[in-house]
Amino acid sequence: MAVAFVGFGYGAASDNDYSGGDSHSARAQALIEKHFPEQQGDTLTLAIKAEKGIDDPAARQKIEKVLADLDASPITGPVISPYEDEHLVTADRRIARTTIPLTDKDVDKTEVKPLVDTVKDASADGVTLGLGGDKAEKAETPAQGSAEGVGLLTAAVILFIAFGSLVAMGLPLVTGLMAVLGGIALMKLVGHVVPSPDFTVLVCSLIGLGVGIDYALFILTRYRDSLRDGDEPESATVRAITTAGHAVLFAGTTVVIALLGLIAMGQKMMTGVAIGASVTVLVTMVAAVTLLPAFLGFIGHKIDSLRLPRRTSRGHAADGVPTRERRTPAERWAGVVQRKPLVAAVLAGAILLALAAPALSMRLGLPDASVQPHDRSSYTSYEILSEGFGPGYGAPLIFATAVDSTGADLRAVGVAVRQTEGIAYATQPRISKDGQAAIFMAFPTTGRQDEATADLVHKLRDDVLPEAAGGEAVYIGGPNAGAIDFAEDTGSRLPLMITVVIALSLVLLVVLVRSVTIALQAAVMNLLSIGAAYGVLVAVVQWGWLGSVLGFPTEMPVTTWVPMMMFPLLFGLSMDYEVFLISRIREEYERTGDTRTAVTRGLARTAKVITAAAAIMIAIFTTALLGPDVSVKQIGLGMAVAVLVDATIIRMILVPAVMELCGKANWWMPGRRAPKATSAALAEVGQGARV
């Protein structure tokens, strides 16, 4: 609680800057920041549409009233009326615009919200107004609301069904919530050293709740098993921590290492996300092996209090192994798969590849006003400006160059840019006050989310500028070009991050299961499940399949940071399930020496707890679809699909099929076979997933 108090009271502010590096847009931004400081402040854009024209007396009275209210705000600078500048009005006088400077770049969204409300309330009687800009978008984006509450309620229902006890249900929830609270608070404190963007809190909440509840679930399951075996609460707690607790520490470490793989992207924003999410997972992992045992010390035998009446299972032997007379559904299903392993593997692989196929056409981008819900003022502003000034008005390109001692003439560049197909309009160049740099702006004919806009930027950089600039270094910057560079930089670095995450995870898994074959199987299967999640994400978000049903206002590119955030997270979480399943299979193999029996019993022992854990993850991730942020919706959808695929197609079909096909080769390890002591220790870890 002390960490929470300090973190939420004195934590660092978020930093959403995705620029930096040595990209074209980064160089342009550096010139603008150095030589045009007057352009660094945030602005809002007021868009006006009057059916009878802005000169209609009733319309003019309403418009001037809004302009006066905006100008009188303590957070705005001077507002230029469109009645004073004809360039701010369309030729038919039906649509107008004006830019509203903000006096402080750190103005809070709560201060901007009254301005948004003023503009929205004034829209009536044939006059439509919209307030756009980054600050306006954030101001009218509602809080996540009850989404997390819905996820927690669903998780509670799943835990109650799994445990049949209100007390046992409550412990993982309380542990997970307290861990997430401490993790986010610590993340905010770490933000003073490594800043992170504002969406990090939402991402950490989703991840922290998912893994926090799951880790507590694994340990609590082992504790209850020990009590049923006759152990006293103290010894049952020790046994749970030394078995399931070890597995939790290993699984959590895998997730943390996978998340830190984001640092390989070399991007300031994603480094902040990686550190913040890793800190949250680390806190949930520590809470599972410290806070939860403390709770168990108070509860003792009362863990099964307030039970749900249910029949006692009869088909199990004293050691917990299902008898031949009454096999569990998981055992029977494993037998079905093992009878036709090749067919099962081929069918499962075909399904996963079909789901992954749309990912080949994935486009990356950053959301803007055009993809916001249509009841937002920022979307209204975008719609009005697109109609009056073209869809490219919200996607300006800023051309910047340094002026050396011989001077630099951007007029020729401006002419060449204006003559380029896809450019609607370009301003005249202007020199900075210090005479050291020059800039001008150009507006494309297409919007920021259109693929044609990115193609235009490449054409200008690769063909138009080198020929027109005459050897001068002219850079294209601005938010539009910056988003394009960010997406392309992400795409180029993604293979490196994937390689780093896979390599580190493989090393850890080989150490645990003492098998190169199984580690490679896990890596391939994880890649298949992540590929399937990417494919579904593209189909829903980019192609629009069921998009409106799932809460996406329109078709849009996948948010740039979503796929690179999803990969390490999903790889780490998939390894969690791999640890609990394979370690149990390994234990049975050491006991029986038969792979088929080991796989069958391993699935039977872990099916219930893994299914419950996956159901909780899916419930928490899908609640992101109830929130307002389209990017968080995307990562929630992708994560839920991946966990669903992993817990069904991967664990229930591919794992038993592939292990049946590989036989004794499953346990291949270069060099001498592990000594019995190592195998016994591994078996103890595997018992942490026993139900």
Side-chain angles (χ1 to χ4, degrees):
M1 297 304 294
V3 173
F5 174 79
V6 176
F8 286 102
Y10 303 96
S14 58
D15 183 358
N16 294 309
D17 183 17
Y18 55 82
S19 62
D22 196 40
S23 66
H24 224 268
S25 57
R27 295 181 184 184
Q29 184 63 24
L31 285 172
I32 294 170
E33 289 179 354
K34 182 176 181 181
H35 302 290
F36 295 90
E38 68 276 10
Q39 295 208 176
Q40 298 310 301
D42 285 313
T43 61
L44 304 174
T45 301
L46 176 66
I48 306 164
K49 180 179 179 180
E51 296 297 336
K52 296 180 180 180
I54 66 170
D55 298 312
D56 176 74
R60 179 161 186 164
Q61 182 180 8
K62 184 184 293 290
I63 293 168
E64 288 186 333
K65 173 67 166 57
V66 172
L67 291 171
D69 289 342
L70 295 176
D71 188 59
S73 172
I75 65 170
T76 62
V79 177
I80 299 175
S81 170
Y83 295 105
E84 301 172 0
D85 187 345
E86 63 180 15
H87 294 99
L88 302 178
V89 187
T90 57
D92 61 5
R93 306 287 292 178
R94 290 179 60 250
I95 294 177
R97 62 179 171 85
T98 188
T99 300
I100 303 165
L102 295 176
T103 55
D104 186 356
K105 68 177 181 178
D106 295 323
V107 62
D108 191 81
K109 65 180 183 180
T110 57
E111 300 176 273
V112 179
K113 185 63 166 61
L115 303 183
V116 176
D117 294 338
T118 297
V119 171
K120 291 182 72 173
D121 294 342
S123 294
D125 303 325
V127 178
T128 305
L129 301 102
L131 194 63
D134 183 63
K135 294 289 187 180
E137 284 184 40
K138 286 183 169 58
E140 63 178 339
T141 299
Q144 193 72 3
S146 60
E148 289 94 344
V150 174
L152 286 173
L153 179 61
T154 308
V157 172
I158 295 169
L159 287 169
F160 187 57
I161 293 173
F163 287 134
S165 162
L166 288 175
V167 175
M169 173 200 77
L171 279 182
L173 293 177
V174 173
T175 303
L177 281 172
M178 294 188 69
V180 169
L181 187 68
I184 293 177
L186 186 58
M187 178 268 291
K188 286 180 171 291
L189 291 176
V190 173
H192 286 291
V193 180
V194 184
S196 58
D198 53 11
F199 62 80
T200 308
V201 173
L202 288 176
V203 172
C204 289
S205 297
L206 291 174
I207 300 165
L209 283 175
V211 300
I213 294 174
D214 276 6
Y215 291 165
L217 168 65
F218 291 133
I219 293 175
L220 190 58
T221 297
R222 187 68 187 92
Y223 174 79
R224 294 172 76 240
D225 286 343
S226 296
L227 290 181
R228 283 198 295 267
D229 290 341
D231 289 343
E232 288 299 314
E234 184 177 351
S235 59
T237 302
V238 172
R239 189 175 179 187
I241 296 303
T242 56
T243 54
H246 284 169
V248 163
L249 290 174
F250 180 88
T253 301
T254 304
V255 177
V256 169
I257 290 176
L259 282 169
L260 292 177
L262 283 169
I263 297 175
M265 298 298 295
Q267 297 170 344
K268 180 179 68 174
M269 174 185 281
M270 296 318 298
T271 297
V273 176
I275 299 298
S278 298
V279 166
T280 304
V281 173
L282 182 63
V283 172
T284 60
M285 179 176 64
V286 172
V289 295
T290 57
L291 182 62
L292 180 59
F295 286 151
L296 293 177
F298 284 106
I299 292 174
H301 286 290
K302 296 179 181 178
I303 189 66
D304 289 325
S305 298
L306 305 176
R307 286 189 59 82
L308 175 70
R310 61 172 64 182
R311 292 189 308 169
T312 304
S313 178
R314 293 183 176 178
H316 293 73
D319 64 353
V321 179
T323 64
R324 293 182 181 275
E325 291 76 14
R326 191 179 179 111
R327 304 176 73 198
T328 65
E331 256 193 315
R332 292 195 295 271
W333 174 254
V336 171
V337 172
Q338 289 170 327
R339 281 194 291 274
K340 298 286 186 181
L342 184 59
V343 174
V346 170
L347 285 176
I351 293 172
L352 292 173
L353 290 175
L355 289 174
L360 296 175
S361 62
M362 181 185 290
R363 286 198 304 116
L364 300 178
L366 292 175
D368 64 349
S370 66
V371 300
Q372 299 301 322
H374 294 180
D375 61 345
R376 303 268 181 90
S377 183
S378 54
Y379 178 80
T380 302
S381 174
Y382 159 79
E383 227 182 7
I384 294 173
L385 294 175
S386 296
E387 179 184 345
F389 302 97
Y393 180 80
L397 303 174
I398 302 177
F399 294 75
T401 186
V403 178
D404 57 23
S405 57
T406 61
D409 190 352
L410 280 180
R411 285 177 296 179
V413 175
V415 171
V417 169
R418 290 186 189 91
Q419 294 175 348
T420 302
E421 184 179 358
I423 292 292
Y425 172 75
T427 65
Q428 293 297 322
R430 65 187 183 93
I431 305 297
S432 62
K433 292 180 180 179
D434 62 8
Q436 299 298 306
I439 62 171
F440 72 91
M441 296 177 66
F443 298 88
T445 57
T446 51
R448 180 166 167 175
Q449 303 298 327
D450 294 325
E451 191 172 4
T453 305
D455 294 338
L456 172 64
V457 171
H458 289 301
K459 180 179 180 181
L460 290 169
R461 287 173 173 172
D462 298 339
D463 301 328
V464 177
L465 292 184
E467 182 177 342
E472 294 289 339
V474 180
Y475 305 109
I476 303 178
N480 184 17
I484 293 171
D485 288 343
F486 182 44
E488 293 181 353
D489 185 52
T490 296
S492 65
R493 291 175 179 266
L494 198 57
L496 173 62
M497 187 266 288
I498 290 174
T499 302
V500 170
V501 171
I502 292 176
L504 292 176
S505 299
L506 280 178
V507 171
L508 286 174
L509 195 58
V510 168
V511 170
L512 178 73
V513 302
R514 300 294 296 168
S515 168
V516 173
T517 305
I518 290 178
L520 290 174
Q521 289 175 9
V524 173
M525 292 179 191
N526 288 351
L527 288 174
L528 287 172
S529 66
I530 295 171
Y534 282 174
V536 172
L537 193 62
V538 169
V540 173
V541 175
Q542 192 172 307
W543 296 357
W545 294 4
L546 297 177
S548 59
V549 176
L550 295 174
F552 295 97
T554 186
E555 299 172 12
M556 66 187 81
V558 176
T559 300
T560 302
W561 57 264
V562 166
M564 64 174 165
M565 187 76 209
M566 280 175 58
F567 184 85
L569 269 176
L570 291 175
F571 205 88
L573 294 176
S574 295
M575 283 296 183
D576 283 2
Y577 299 142
E578 190 76 14
V579 166
F580 288 103
L581 174 59
I582 296 300
S583 59
R584 190 60 178 170
I585 292 175
R586 179 64 187 245
E587 176 193 350
E588 296 296 337
Y589 179 76
E590 292 293 337
R591 179 186 298 172
T592 65
D594 180 69
T595 298
R596 172 174 291 190
T597 301
V599 171
T600 301
R601 290 184 176 177
L603 281 174
R605 295 284 186 86
T606 59
K608 185 178 178 181
V609 70
I610 288 180
T611 300
I616 290 170
M617 285 277 194
I618 293 169
I620 289 174
F621 290 145
T622 51
T623 56
L625 295 172
L626 303 176
D629 192 302
V630 292
S631 298
V632 177
K633 285 175 183 281
Q634 291 179 28
I635 197 168
L637 173 64
M639 298 284 286
V641 169
V643 173
L644 176 63
V645 167
D646 192 87
T648 54
I649 299 176
I650 298 294
R651 302 298 156 209
M652 299 302 294
I653 301 177
L654 267 185
V655 168
V658 172
M659 292 193 74
E660 176 70 17
L661 290 171
C662 291
K664 289 189 178 296
N666 283 300
W667 315 107
W668 177 74
M669 183 76 181
R672 189 162 57 88
R673 187 171 181 268
K676 290 293 183 181
T678 302
S679 299
L682 180 62
E684 269 292 281
V685 174
Q687 290 179 5
R690 181 177 174 181
V691 177

